[in-house]
PDB file of all heavy atoms in Angstrom:
ATOM      1  N   GLY A   1     152.611  11.509 -81.005  1.00 95.00           N
ATOM      2  CA  GLY A   1     153.445  10.539 -80.331  1.00 95.00           C
ATOM      3  C   GLY A   1     153.901   9.379 -81.186  1.00 95.00           C
ATOM      4  O   GLY A   1     154.549   8.463 -80.677  1.00 95.00           O
ATOM      5  N   LYS A   2     153.585   9.399 -82.463  1.00 97.00           N
ATOM      6  CA  LYS A   2     153.967   8.322 -83.354  1.00 97.00           C
ATOM      7  C   LYS A   2     154.815   8.848 -84.502  1.00 97.00           C
ATOM      8  O   LYS A   2     154.817  10.036 -84.801  1.00 97.00           O
ATOM      9  CB  LYS A   2     152.735   7.607 -83.908  1.00 97.00           C
ATOM     10  CG  LYS A   2     151.836   6.993 -82.854  1.00 97.00           C
ATOM     11  CD  LYS A   2     150.730   6.171 -83.472  1.00 97.00           C
ATOM     12  CE  LYS A   2     151.270   4.937 -84.157  1.00 97.00           C
ATOM     13  NZ  LYS A   2     150.182   4.073 -84.699  1.00 97.00           N
ATOM     14  N   GLU A   3     155.547   7.938 -85.121  1.00 97.00           N
ATOM     15  CA  GLU A   3     156.378   8.304 -86.253  1.00 97.00           C
ATOM     16  C   GLU A   3     155.529   8.519 -87.496  1.00 97.00           C
ATOM     17  O   GLU A   3     154.440   7.969 -87.633  1.00 97.00           O
ATOM     18  CB  GLU A   3     157.423   7.220 -86.522  1.00 97.00           C
ATOM     19  CG  GLU A   3     158.443   7.039 -85.418  1.00 97.00           C
ATOM     20  CD  GLU A   3     159.500   6.018 -85.776  1.00 97.00           C
ATOM     21  OE1 GLU A   3     159.339   5.318 -86.787  1.00 97.00           O
ATOM     22  OE2 GLU A   3     160.501   5.932 -85.046  1.00 97.00           O
ATOM     23  N   ARG A   4     156.055   9.321 -88.390  1.00 98.00           N
ATOM     24  CA  ARG A   4     155.387   9.541 -89.654  1.00 98.00           C
ATOM     25  C   ARG A   4     155.450   8.259 -90.481  1.00 98.00           C
ATOM     26  O   ARG A   4     156.505   7.637 -90.607  1.00 98.00           O
ATOM     27  CB  ARG A   4     156.043  10.699 -90.395  1.00 98.00           C
ATOM     28  CG  ARG A   4     155.278  11.177 -91.611  1.00 98.00           C
ATOM     29  CD  ARG A   4     155.814  12.520 -92.097  1.00 98.00           C
ATOM     30  NE  ARG A   4     155.680  13.555 -91.078  1.00 98.00           N
ATOM     31  CZ  ARG A   4     155.931  14.836 -91.290  1.00 98.00           C
ATOM     32  NH1 ARG A   4     156.329  15.261 -92.487  1.00 98.00           N
ATOM     33  NH2 ARG A   4     155.799  15.711 -90.300  1.00 98.00           N
ATOM     34  N   GLU A   5     154.331   7.854 -91.045  1.00 98.00           N
ATOM     35  CA  GLU A   5     154.269   6.620 -91.798  1.00 98.00           C
ATOM     36  C   GLU A   5     153.631   6.842 -93.157  1.00 98.00           C
ATOM     37  O   GLU A   5     152.769   7.703 -93.329  1.00 98.00           O
ATOM     38  CB  GLU A   5     153.476   5.554 -91.031  1.00 98.00           C
ATOM     39  CG  GLU A   5     152.015   5.898 -90.822  1.00 98.00           C
ATOM     40  CD  GLU A   5     151.236   4.788 -90.147  1.00 98.00           C
ATOM     41  OE1 GLU A   5     151.827   3.736 -89.835  1.00 98.00           O
ATOM     42  OE2 GLU A   5     150.023   4.969 -89.921  1.00 98.00           O
ATOM     43  N   VAL A   6     154.058   6.026 -94.102  1.00 98.00           N
ATOM     44  CA  VAL A   6     153.521   6.138 -95.443  1.00 98.00           C
ATOM     45  C   VAL A   6     152.099   5.603 -95.488  1.00 98.00           C
ATOM     46  O   VAL A   6     151.770   4.614 -94.828  1.00 98.00           O
ATOM     47  CB  VAL A   6     154.416   5.386 -96.455  1.00 98.00           C
ATOM     48  CG1 VAL A   6     154.400   3.888 -96.206  1.00 98.00           C
ATOM     49  CG2 VAL A   6     154.003   5.715 -97.878  1.00 98.00           C
ATOM     50  N   VAL A   7     151.260   6.275 -96.227  1.00 98.00           N
ATOM     51  CA  VAL A   7     149.887   5.849 -96.439  1.00 98.00           C
ATOM     52  C   VAL A   7     149.730   5.255 -97.827  1.00 98.00           C
ATOM     53  O   VAL A   7     149.167   4.172 -98.000  1.00 98.00           O
ATOM     54  CB  VAL A   7     148.906   7.015 -96.244  1.00 98.00           C
ATOM     55  CG1 VAL A   7     147.474   6.585 -96.575  1.00 98.00           C
ATOM     56  CG2 VAL A   7     148.994   7.552 -94.819  1.00 98.00           C
ATOM     57  N   ALA A   8     150.233   5.961 -98.816  1.00 98.00           N
ATOM     58  CA  ALA A   8     150.141   5.511-100.197  1.00 98.00           C
ATOM     59  C   ALA A   8     151.146   6.267-101.039  1.00 98.00           C
ATOM     60  O   ALA A   8     151.504   7.402-100.734  1.00 98.00           O
ATOM     61  CB  ALA A   8     148.727   5.713-100.745  1.00 98.00           C
ATOM     62  N   THR A   9     151.601   5.630-102.093  1.00 98.00           N
ATOM     63  CA  THR A   9     152.544   6.257-103.020  1.00 98.00           C
ATOM     64  C   THR A   9     152.033   6.119-104.441  1.00 98.00           C
ATOM     65  O   THR A   9     151.276   5.200-104.770  1.00 98.00           O
ATOM     66  CB  THR A   9     153.945   5.630-102.926  1.00 98.00           C
ATOM     67  OG1 THR A   9     153.875   4.240-103.256  1.00 98.00           O
ATOM     68  CG2 THR A   9     154.526   5.795-101.531  1.00 98.00           C
ATOM     69  N   LEU A  10     152.476   7.030-105.276  1.00 97.00           N
ATOM     70  CA  LEU A  10     152.107   7.017-106.684  1.00 97.00           C
ATOM     71  C   LEU A  10     153.328   7.353-107.526  1.00 97.00           C
ATOM     72  O   LEU A  10     153.889   8.442-107.409  1.00 97.00           O
ATOM     73  CB  LEU A  10     150.972   8.012-106.951  1.00 97.00           C
ATOM     74  CG  LEU A  10     150.366   8.032-108.362  1.00 97.00           C
ATOM     75  CD1 LEU A  10     148.901   8.440-108.305  1.00 97.00           C
ATOM     76  CD2 LEU A  10     151.126   8.996-109.278  1.00 97.00           C
ATOM     77  N   GLU A  11     153.751   6.398-108.357  1.00 96.00           N
ATOM     78  CA  GLU A  11     154.827   6.602-109.313  1.00 96.00           C
ATOM     79  C   GLU A  11     154.220   6.952-110.651  1.00 96.00           C
ATOM     80  O   GLU A  11     153.354   6.235-111.149  1.00 96.00           O
ATOM     81  CB  GLU A  11     155.689   5.344-109.436  1.00 96.00           C
ATOM     82  CG  GLU A  11     156.397   4.938-108.168  1.00 96.00           C
ATOM     83  CD  GLU A  11     157.168   3.646-108.323  1.00 96.00           C
ATOM     84  OE1 GLU A  11     157.219   3.112-109.459  1.00 96.00           O
ATOM     85  OE2 GLU A  11     157.719   3.162-107.321  1.00 96.00           O
ATOM     86  N   ASP A  12     154.658   8.038-111.217  1.00 92.00           N
ATOM     87  CA  ASP A  12     154.080   8.534-112.459  1.00 92.00           C
ATOM     88  C   ASP A  12     155.182   8.685-113.506  1.00 92.00           C
ATOM     89  O   ASP A  12     155.829   9.725-113.598  1.00 92.00           O
ATOM     90  CB  ASP A  12     153.375   9.860-112.222  1.00 92.00           C
ATOM     91  CG  ASP A  12     152.536  10.289-113.416  1.00 92.00           C
ATOM     92  OD1 ASP A  12     152.408   9.509-114.364  1.00 92.00           O
ATOM     93  OD2 ASP A  12     152.004  11.416-113.370  1.00 92.00           O
ATOM     94  N   GLY A  13     155.382   7.632-114.277  1.00 88.00           N
ATOM     95  CA  GLY A  13     156.369   7.649-115.347  1.00 88.00           C
ATOM     96  C   GLY A  13     155.696   7.354-116.666  1.00 88.00           C
ATOM     97  O   GLY A  13     154.784   8.071-117.086  1.00 88.00           O
ATOM     98  N   ALA A  14     156.151   6.287-117.320  1.00 88.00           N
ATOM     99  CA  ALA A  14     155.496   5.861-118.548  1.00 88.00           C
ATOM    100  C   ALA A  14     154.057   5.431-118.272  1.00 88.00           C
ATOM    101  O   ALA A  14     153.185   5.561-119.131  1.00 88.00           O
ATOM    102  CB  ALA A  14     156.276   4.722-119.192  1.00 88.00           C
ATOM    103  N   PHE A  15     153.831   4.930-117.071  1.00 91.00           N
ATOM    104  CA  PHE A  15     152.502   4.594-116.610  1.00 91.00           C
ATOM    105  C   PHE A  15     152.476   4.790-115.098  1.00 91.00           C
ATOM    106  O   PHE A  15     153.512   4.996-114.470  1.00 91.00           O
ATOM    107  CB  PHE A  15     152.116   3.158-116.996  1.00 91.00           C
ATOM    108  CG  PHE A  15     153.086   2.111-116.541  1.00 91.00           C
ATOM    109  CD1 PHE A  15     152.889   1.438-115.355  1.00 91.00           C
ATOM    110  CD2 PHE A  15     154.194   1.797-117.309  1.00 91.00           C
ATOM    111  CE1 PHE A  15     153.776   0.462-114.934  1.00 91.00           C
ATOM    112  CE2 PHE A  15     155.096   0.830-116.898  1.00 91.00           C
ATOM    113  CZ  PHE A  15     154.879   0.165-115.700  1.00 91.00           C
ATOM    114  N   THR A  16     151.304   4.726-114.539  1.00 95.00           N
ATOM    115  CA  THR A  16     151.131   5.021-113.129  1.00 95.00           C
ATOM    116  C   THR A  16     151.094   3.755-112.289  1.00 95.00           C
ATOM    117  O   THR A  16     150.391   2.798-112.614  1.00 95.00           O
ATOM    118  CB  THR A  16     149.840   5.819-112.903  1.00 95.00           C
ATOM    119  OG1 THR A  16     149.905   7.036-113.652  1.00 95.00           O
ATOM    120  CG2 THR A  16     149.666   6.150-111.426  1.00 95.00           C
ATOM    121  N   ILE A  17     151.873   3.765-111.205  1.00 96.00           N
ATOM    122  CA  ILE A  17     151.884   2.666-110.255  1.00 96.00           C
ATOM    123  C   ILE A  17     151.501   3.212-108.896  1.00 96.00           C
ATOM    124  O   ILE A  17     152.117   4.158-108.409  1.00 96.00           O
ATOM    125  CB  ILE A  17     153.266   1.994-110.185  1.00 96.00           C
ATOM    126  CG1 ILE A  17     153.675   1.435-111.546  1.00 96.00           C
ATOM    127  CG2 ILE A  17     153.263   0.892-109.127  1.00 96.00           C
ATOM    128  CD1 ILE A  17     155.073   0.858-111.572  1.00 96.00           C
ATOM    129  N   THR A  18     150.497   2.627-108.298  1.00 97.00           N
ATOM    130  CA  THR A  18     150.057   3.048-106.983  1.00 97.00           C
ATOM    131  C   THR A  18     150.220   1.920-105.977  1.00 97.00           C
ATOM    132  O   THR A  18     150.063   0.744-106.307  1.00 97.00           O
ATOM    133  CB  THR A  18     148.591   3.506-106.995  1.00 97.00           C
ATOM    134  OG1 THR A  18     147.752   2.423-107.423  1.00 97.00           O
ATOM    135  CG2 THR A  18     148.407   4.682-107.932  1.00 97.00           C
ATOM    136  N   ARG A  19     150.542   2.293-104.763  1.00 97.00           N
ATOM    137  CA  ARG A  19     150.674   1.341-103.673  1.00 97.00           C
ATOM    138  C   ARG A  19     150.046   1.943-102.430  1.00 97.00           C
ATOM    139  O   ARG A  19     150.147   3.139-102.197  1.00 97.00           O
ATOM    140  CB  ARG A  19     152.137   0.991-103.405  1.00 97.00           C
ATOM    141  CG  ARG A  19     152.848   0.302-104.558  1.00 97.00           C
ATOM    142  CD  ARG A  19     154.289  -0.031-104.195  1.00 97.00           C
ATOM    143  NE  ARG A  19     154.974  -0.737-105.267  1.00 97.00           N
ATOM    144  CZ  ARG A  19     155.638  -0.141-106.239  1.00 97.00           C
ATOM    145  NH1 ARG A  19     155.709   1.191-106.279  1.00 97.00           N
ATOM    146  NH2 ARG A  19     156.233  -0.857-107.181  1.00 97.00           N
ATOM    147  N   GLU A  20     149.404   1.117-101.656  1.00 97.00           N
ATOM    148  CA  GLU A  20     148.794   1.546-100.408  1.00 97.00           C
ATOM    149  C   GLU A  20     149.335   0.714 -99.256  1.00 97.00           C
ATOM    150  O   GLU A  20     149.636  -0.469 -99.422  1.00 97.00           O
ATOM    151  CB  GLU A  20     147.271   1.410-100.464  1.00 97.00           C
ATOM    152  CG  GLU A  20     146.589   2.272-101.518  1.00 97.00           C
ATOM    153  CD  GLU A  20     146.597   1.637-102.892  1.00 97.00           C
ATOM    154  OE1 GLU A  20     146.521   0.389-102.978  1.00 97.00           O
ATOM    155  OE2 GLU A  20     146.685   2.374-103.892  1.00 97.00           O
ATOM    156  N   ALA A  21     149.456   1.337 -98.112  1.00 98.00           N
ATOM    157  CA  ALA A  21     149.898   0.632 -96.927  1.00 98.00           C
ATOM    158  C   ALA A  21     148.870  -0.429 -96.544  1.00 98.00           C
ATOM    159  O   ALA A  21     147.677  -0.295 -96.833  1.00 98.00           O
ATOM    160  CB  ALA A  21     150.106   1.604 -95.772  1.00 98.00           C
ATOM    161  N   ASP A  22     149.342  -1.471 -95.895  1.00 98.00           N
ATOM    162  CA  ASP A  22     148.457  -2.560 -95.502  1.00 98.00           C
ATOM    163  C   ASP A  22     147.288  -2.066 -94.653  1.00 98.00           C
ATOM    164  O   ASP A  22     146.171  -2.583 -94.755  1.00 98.00           O
ATOM    165  CB  ASP A  22     149.230  -3.628 -94.729  1.00 98.00           C
ATOM    166  CG  ASP A  22     150.203  -4.389 -95.599  1.00 98.00           C
ATOM    167  OD1 ASP A  22     150.084  -4.322 -96.841  1.00 98.00           O
ATOM    168  OD2 ASP A  22     151.098  -5.058 -95.043  1.00 98.00           O
ATOM    169  N   SER A  23     147.551  -1.077 -93.824  1.00 97.00           N
ATOM    170  CA  SER A  23     146.541  -0.596 -92.903  1.00 97.00           C
ATOM    171  C   SER A  23     145.388   0.130 -93.591  1.00 97.00           C
ATOM    172  O   SER A  23     144.319   0.288 -93.003  1.00 97.00           O
ATOM    173  CB  SER A  23     147.179   0.325 -91.860  1.00 97.00           C
ATOM    174  OG  SER A  23     147.792   1.440 -92.482  1.00 97.00           O
ATOM    175  N   VAL A  24     145.602   0.566 -94.831  1.00 98.00           N
ATOM    176  CA  VAL A  24     144.569   1.324 -95.531  1.00 98.00           C
ATOM    177  C   VAL A  24     144.124   0.675 -96.828  1.00 98.00           C
ATOM    178  O   VAL A  24     143.165   1.158 -97.453  1.00 98.00           O
ATOM    179  CB  VAL A  24     145.028   2.766 -95.819  1.00 98.00           C
ATOM    180  CG1 VAL A  24     145.499   3.446 -94.543  1.00 98.00           C
ATOM    181  CG2 VAL A  24     146.131   2.787 -96.869  1.00 98.00           C
ATOM    182  N   ARG A  25     144.787  -0.382 -97.223  1.00 97.00           N
ATOM    183  CA  ARG A  25     144.467  -1.024 -98.487  1.00 97.00           C
ATOM    184  C   ARG A  25     143.007  -1.480 -98.511  1.00 97.00           C
ATOM    185  O   ARG A  25     142.526  -2.113 -97.581  1.00 97.00           O
ATOM    186  CB  ARG A  25     145.392  -2.210 -98.748  1.00 97.00           C
ATOM    187  CG  ARG A  25     145.241  -2.803-100.157  1.00 97.00           C
ATOM    188  CD  ARG A  25     146.292  -3.872-100.433  1.00 97.00           C
ATOM    189  NE  ARG A  25     147.637  -3.327-100.408  1.00 97.00           N
ATOM    190  CZ  ARG A  25     148.553  -3.647 -99.514  1.00 97.00           C
ATOM    191  NH1 ARG A  25     148.272  -4.542 -98.569  1.00 97.00           N
ATOM    192  NH2 ARG A  25     149.748  -3.095 -99.559  1.00 97.00           N
ATOM    193  N   GLY A  26     142.333  -1.151 -99.599  1.00 97.00           N
ATOM    194  CA  GLY A  26     140.927  -1.476 -99.722  1.00 97.00           C
ATOM    195  C   GLY A  26     140.015  -0.382 -99.232  1.00 97.00           C
ATOM    196  O   GLY A  26     138.809  -0.402 -99.521  1.00 97.00           O
ATOM    197  N   ARG A  27     140.558   0.574 -98.483  1.00 98.00           N
ATOM    198  CA  ARG A  27     139.774   1.685 -97.969  1.00 98.00           C
ATOM    199  C   ARG A  27     140.207   3.020 -98.567  1.00 98.00           C
ATOM    200  O   ARG A  27     139.374   3.891 -98.806  1.00 98.00           O
ATOM    201  CB  ARG A  27     139.880   1.764 -96.450  1.00 98.00           C
ATOM    202  CG  ARG A  27     139.371   0.515 -95.732  1.00 98.00           C
ATOM    203  CD  ARG A  27     139.349   0.721 -94.226  1.00 98.00           C
ATOM    204  NE  ARG A  27     140.686   0.957 -93.686  1.00 98.00           N
ATOM    205  CZ  ARG A  27     141.055   2.070 -93.054  1.00 98.00           C
ATOM    206  NH1 ARG A  27     140.173   3.050 -92.866  1.00 98.00           N
ATOM    207  NH2 ARG A  27     142.286   2.198 -92.580  1.00 98.00           N
ATOM    208  N   PHE A  28     141.508   3.184 -98.785  1.00 98.00           N
ATOM    209  CA  PHE A  28     142.049   4.422 -99.332  1.00 98.00           C
ATOM    210  C   PHE A  28     142.485   4.207-100.770  1.00 98.00           C
ATOM    211  O   PHE A  28     142.986   3.141-101.132  1.00 98.00           O
ATOM    212  CB  PHE A  28     143.267   4.901 -98.533  1.00 98.00           C
ATOM    213  CG  PHE A  28     142.968   5.357 -97.131  1.00 98.00           C
ATOM    214  CD1 PHE A  28     141.726   5.162 -96.555  1.00 98.00           C
ATOM    215  CD2 PHE A  28     143.959   5.994 -96.400  1.00 98.00           C
ATOM    216  CE1 PHE A  28     141.458   5.581 -95.261  1.00 98.00           C
ATOM    217  CE2 PHE A  28     143.708   6.418 -95.114  1.00 98.00           C
ATOM    218  CZ  PHE A  28     142.465   6.215 -94.540  1.00 98.00           C
ATOM    219  N   THR A  29     142.334   5.239-101.574  1.00 98.00           N
ATOM    220  CA  THR A  29     142.773   5.193-102.961  1.00 98.00           C
ATOM    221  C   THR A  29     143.531   6.462-103.304  1.00 98.00           C
ATOM    222  O   THR A  29     143.001   7.564-103.150  1.00 98.00           O
ATOM    223  CB  THR A  29     141.585   5.038-103.922  1.00 98.00           C
ATOM    224  OG1 THR A  29     140.840   3.862-103.601  1.00 98.00           O
ATOM    225  CG2 THR A  29     142.080   4.933-105.364  1.00 98.00           C
ATOM    226  N   ILE A  30     144.762   6.302-103.760  1.00 98.00           N
ATOM    227  CA  ILE A  30     145.560   7.441-104.170  1.00 98.00           C
ATOM    228  C   ILE A  30     145.415   7.625-105.674  1.00 98.00           C
ATOM    229  O   ILE A  30     145.347   6.656-106.435  1.00 98.00           O
ATOM    230  CB  ILE A  30     147.045   7.263-103.778  1.00 98.00           C
ATOM    231  CG1 ILE A  30     147.835   8.552-104.038  1.00 98.00           C
ATOM    232  CG2 ILE A  30     147.673   6.086-104.517  1.00 98.00           C
ATOM    233  CD1 ILE A  30     149.261   8.518-103.491  1.00 98.00           C
ATOM    234  N   SER A  31     145.345   8.859-106.111  1.00 98.00           N
ATOM    235  CA  SER A  31     145.219   9.151-107.528  1.00 98.00           C
ATOM    236  C   SER A  31     145.831  10.509-107.818  1.00 98.00           C
ATOM    237  O   SER A  31     146.103  11.292-106.908  1.00 98.00           O
ATOM    238  CB  SER A  31     143.754   9.113-107.978  1.00 98.00           C
ATOM    239  OG  SER A  31     142.991  10.106-107.306  1.00 98.00           O
ATOM    240  N   LYS A  32     146.035  10.771-109.092  1.00 96.00           N
ATOM    241  CA  LYS A  32     146.653  12.020-109.515  1.00 96.00           C
ATOM    242  C   LYS A  32     145.894  12.581-110.699  1.00 96.00           C
ATOM    243  O   LYS A  32     145.561  11.856-111.633  1.00 96.00           O
ATOM    244  CB  LYS A  32     148.121  11.775-109.871  1.00 96.00           C
ATOM    245  CG  LYS A  32     148.934  13.011-110.191  1.00 96.00           C
ATOM    246  CD  LYS A  32     150.379  12.615-110.475  1.00 96.00           C
ATOM    247  CE  LYS A  32     151.259  13.801-110.766  1.00 96.00           C
ATOM    248  NZ  LYS A  32     152.660  13.375-111.042  1.00 96.00           N
ATOM    249  N   ASP A  33     145.631  13.865-110.644  1.00 96.00           N
ATOM    250  CA  ASP A  33     144.958  14.567-111.726  1.00 96.00           C
ATOM    251  C   ASP A  33     145.954  15.563-112.306  1.00 96.00           C
ATOM    252  O   ASP A  33     146.157  16.638-111.750  1.00 96.00           O
ATOM    253  CB  ASP A  33     143.703  15.271-111.222  1.00 96.00           C
ATOM    254  CG  ASP A  33     142.861  15.841-112.345  1.00 96.00           C
ATOM    255  OD1 ASP A  33     143.410  16.195-113.401  1.00 96.00           O
ATOM    256  OD2 ASP A  33     141.632  15.937-112.169  1.00 96.00           O
ATOM    257  N   SER A  34     146.574  15.194-113.416  1.00 94.00           N
ATOM    258  CA  SER A  34     147.607  16.040-114.006  1.00 94.00           C
ATOM    259  C   SER A  34     147.044  17.355-114.529  1.00 94.00           C
ATOM    260  O   SER A  34     147.729  18.373-114.501  1.00 94.00           O
ATOM    261  CB  SER A  34     148.307  15.289-115.139  1.00 94.00           C
ATOM    262  OG  SER A  34     148.964  14.135-114.654  1.00 94.00           O
ATOM    263  N   ALA A  35     145.815  17.329-115.017  1.00 95.00           N
ATOM    264  CA  ALA A  35     145.200  18.544-115.539  1.00 95.00           C
ATOM    265  C   ALA A  35     144.996  19.577-114.441  1.00 95.00           C
ATOM    266  O   ALA A  35     145.200  20.772-114.656  1.00 95.00           O
ATOM    267  CB  ALA A  35     143.879  18.213-116.220  1.00 95.00           C
ATOM    268  N   GLN A  36     144.587  19.119-113.274  1.00 97.00           N
ATOM    269  CA  GLN A  36     144.365  20.016-112.148  1.00 97.00           C
ATOM    270  C   GLN A  36     145.591  20.163-111.260  1.00 97.00           C
ATOM    271  O   GLN A  36     145.577  20.960-110.314  1.00 97.00           O
ATOM    272  CB  GLN A  36     143.182  19.528-111.314  1.00 97.00           C
ATOM    273  CG  GLN A  36     141.852  19.541-112.047  1.00 97.00           C
ATOM    274  CD  GLN A  36     140.689  19.187-111.147  1.00 97.00           C
ATOM    275  OE1 GLN A  36     140.862  18.912-109.956  1.00 97.00           O
ATOM    276  NE2 GLN A  36     139.498  19.196-111.704  1.00 97.00           N
ATOM    277  N   LYS A  37     146.621  19.395-111.549  1.00 97.00           N
ATOM    278  CA  LYS A  37     147.840  19.393-110.737  1.00 97.00           C
ATOM    279  C   LYS A  37     147.528  19.100-109.280  1.00 97.00           C
ATOM    280  O   LYS A  37     147.907  19.849-108.371  1.00 97.00           O
ATOM    281  CB  LYS A  37     148.596  20.716-110.879  1.00 97.00           C
ATOM    282  CG  LYS A  37     149.264  20.906-112.220  1.00 97.00           C
ATOM    283  CD  LYS A  37     150.177  22.124-112.202  1.00 97.00           C
ATOM    284  CE  LYS A  37     150.971  22.245-113.476  1.00 97.00           C
ATOM    285  NZ  LYS A  37     151.915  23.393-113.438  1.00 97.00           N
ATOM    286  N   THR A  38     146.835  18.019-109.066  1.00 97.00           N
ATOM    287  CA  THR A  38     146.493  17.620-107.712  1.00 97.00           C
ATOM    288  C   THR A  38     146.753  16.133-107.499  1.00 97.00           C
ATOM    289  O   THR A  38     146.515  15.313-108.382  1.00 97.00           O
ATOM    290  CB  THR A  38     145.021  17.909-107.379  1.00 97.00           C
ATOM    291  OG1 THR A  38     144.169  17.236-108.313  1.00 97.00           O
ATOM    292  CG2 THR A  38     144.735  19.392-107.416  1.00 97.00           C
TER     293      THR A  38
END
C-alpha cells in the first residue's frame, strides 16, 4: 500500500559515494564488493 522508496544509493566512479535515507541512516549500510559482483 505504499510507494517504492529509496533506502540507500552507491555511486561507483573514481571513488565510492554512499548515501542512506534518513529513516535508515545509522542502522543500514550499503556497500559493494566488485570481486564478488554483489
Side-chain angles (χ1 to χ4, degrees):
K2 301 187 67 176
E3 295 184 350
R4 190 167 299 188
E5 64 176 0
V6 66
V7 176
T9 61
L10 186 150
E11 297 177 5
D12 191 6
F15 55 95
T16 301
I17 300 175
T18 60
R19 297 181 178 89
E20 298 83 33
D22 291 344
S23 60
V24 306
R25 188 173 297 114
R27 299 187 297 119
F28 292 9
T29 303
I30 188 172
S31 62
K32 186 178 182 180
D33 189 331
S34 297
Q36 296 186 359
K37 289 189 174 183
T38 58

